[in-house]
Amino acid sequence: MQAGGLDRDQLGRILAAGRGLVAELDPESVLARLLEDARELTGARYAALGILDEDKTELERFLVRGIDRETRLAIGALPRGKGILGELIRDPKPLRLRRIGEHPRSYGFPPNHPPMTSFLGVPVTVRGEVFGNLYLADKQTADEFDETDEDLLVVLAEWAAIAIDNARNYERAERRRADLERAVRGLQTTASLSREIGGESDPARVLELVAKRARALVDARSCLILLREDEEFVVAEAAGESAAQIRGQRMPVADSPAAEVMRADVPRQLRGGALGWFAVAGIDAEAVVLAPLAARGMVEGLIVAIDRLGPDPVFDEDDVLVLGSFATAAAVGIANSASLEREKLELSIAASESERRRWARDLHDETLQELGALKVMQESALKSESSEVRGAALEKAATQVEGIIATLEGLITELRPAALDELGTQAAVEALAERTRERHPLAIECDFDLAFESGREETRHTAELETTIYRVVQEALNNIVKHAGADHARIAITESNGTVTVVVEDDGRGIARTNDRTGFGLLGMSERVTLASGEMNVGPGARGGTRLSVTLPTQRSPS
């Protein structure tokens, strides 16, 4: 950096100007300050900075100070680097003129341009490459710029080069930092989504989470989840503005940009005419990003981000990449939730079929046989000529009918005991234990420690959870009566820390293999527990016999 023949005062002024320039971290602020400092240091009426294009052959930008807005508008198009301005482009070294018009390459000024006389121009070189040229015109305190003005402007241009390079580096660093933060945020959002939907089996809840997280990830005005159903896309979920109106809308697949993105399996941003397709669903947008939901080799649908929030609705390339990466992880979660839903449905159907087979077996083995015996007695009585025989037969038939009625009442109670609906789990299980005691020589002990009051609807468990608990105990008692040869049984139902634990144990002969769920009705019981998101274990009891333990997450009825 050269200071030429500057005196102490001038050196102080140029140093102060240099410190001010390098303190600026915004490139545009550096340029604006450079022009003001150049005018102040030299006393110039006008200052301008011409920034070169990539080819370094003409001016790409032209910044000016000293000319008001109205005059600039009246002048018209900004200069591109012809005439005197172009001289510094062709020969990048300081140029000082007493009269601009005296130079052979002076073309004069366009209409409405203010008259200018003296001129001083120097190049601004950043890292050995000409960035642009600094131009001054009309020194106000003298007829022309002198050598000292030239020295000041050269030093100022050198300070400006350092400041511009510093501001550029800072801008690049900030951009990299923002990109890194966005990438980290994308990874965090993806990881958070994976945790949230990892065990979620409700597809609707999964879609809701995906739409909300995707919208927040790219700061979109709205976000949609499009799923393909035959020849249409349906808006399966929406988050953000107008979500309620958009949700459920349908759009054709044929010749749609969404179908093209699905085929390419690459995220893409759309603008302009391509957005007309969204108008079918009443979606008004200036820019959208489509990210395919691809899982297990198949594209299920798309995430659609609509208009980035802020003054510019257009998404940048990083938004497109981040949303595409997020969609890949989201697709796996959506596919898993759909698989879990299918498995639950299959388990539910299997459990229902198991229940039907059991009731059919009980009706066949007990009720139908009793009805058959009743029919034989009636036919026998009708054939008999003795009134005493007919009377005895009818009396026996009446007793048989009472037994059949009692059996049917028992089956109906087991299908859905009234106590379960009216009073809750504890009352229904106690009634079940009492009926079992009455019919079989089995001593049954019941222990309950539930965090609600029987009969109070606002503290009851959900009907699904109550039914699961009841069926588990019911099947366990059936197994004890039919297979265990036990004298004593114990039922314990406790609730703690959001979990209901059901334990049924006996002192019978035990089961052959621990956790064998294929026999004694254990398969249906296990399926029922799985549907309730619980766990079941079967094994030897502490004092012999069998111990069944089931843990279920607490679910309460809405108050």
Side-chain angles (χ1 to χ4, degrees), residues 138-289:
D138 282 14
K139 185 174 175 67
Q140 299 181 81
T141 58
D143 291 337
E144 61 180 320
F145 296 99
D146 58 20
E147 186 176 350
T148 299
D149 294 323
E150 183 177 325
D151 290 342
L152 283 171
L153 198 61
V154 168
V155 174
L156 185 65
E158 292 175 350
W159 277 116
I162 296 172
I164 291 170
D165 187 48
N166 183 45
R168 281 176 166 179
N169 289 335
Y170 179 79
E171 186 178 50
R172 283 193 292 267
E174 283 295 291
R175 189 162 51 247
R176 286 195 296 268
R177 182 185 63 80
D179 292 344
L180 181 59
E181 286 183 351
R182 182 175 298 173
V184 170
R185 188 175 63 180
L187 291 173
Q188 290 174 336
T189 302
T190 301
S192 174
L193 178 73
S194 298
R195 287 193 298 270
E196 287 186 89
I197 68 178
E200 183 62 63
S201 61
D202 181 7
R205 174 60 178 161
V206 170
L207 292 177
E208 178 186 0
L209 289 171
V210 169
K212 289 181 177 179
R213 297 296 179 272
R215 181 192 178 216
L217 182 62
V218 295
D219 296 326
R221 176 169 60 86
S222 302
C223 188
L224 317 179
I225 306 297
L226 295 183
L227 296 181
R228 180 167 180 170
E229 294 183 1
D230 297 325
E231 296 306 312
E232 288 184 315
F233 285 108
V234 60
V235 181
E237 186 53 70
E241 295 182 16
S242 305
Q245 291 76 22
I246 299 173
R247 194 180 293 113
Q249 293 291 329
R250 292 180 175 272
M251 294 171 280
V253 171
D255 300 324
S256 68
E260 294 177 7
V261 171
M262 286 179 65
R263 282 192 294 270
D265 195 16
V266 175
R268 176 186 172 193
Q269 180 166 201
L270 301 179
R271 298 178 63 192
L275 299 179
W277 180 72
F278 289 92
V280 175
I283 300 171
D284 183 23
E286 295 184 53
V288 302
V289 175

Side-chain angles (χ1 to χ4, degrees), residues 107-123:
Y107 291 171
F109 297 107
N112 302 313
H113 195 288
M116 294 181 180
T117 55
S118 55
F119 174 85
L120 175 60
V122 299

Side-chain angles (χ1 to χ4, degrees), residues 532-555:
S533 301
E535 295 181 0
M536 185 180 95
N537 290 287
V538 184
R543 294 175 293 179
T546 301
R547 184 178 189 273
L548 168 73
S549 175
V550 171
T551 56
L552 300 162
T554 300
Q555 303 168 15

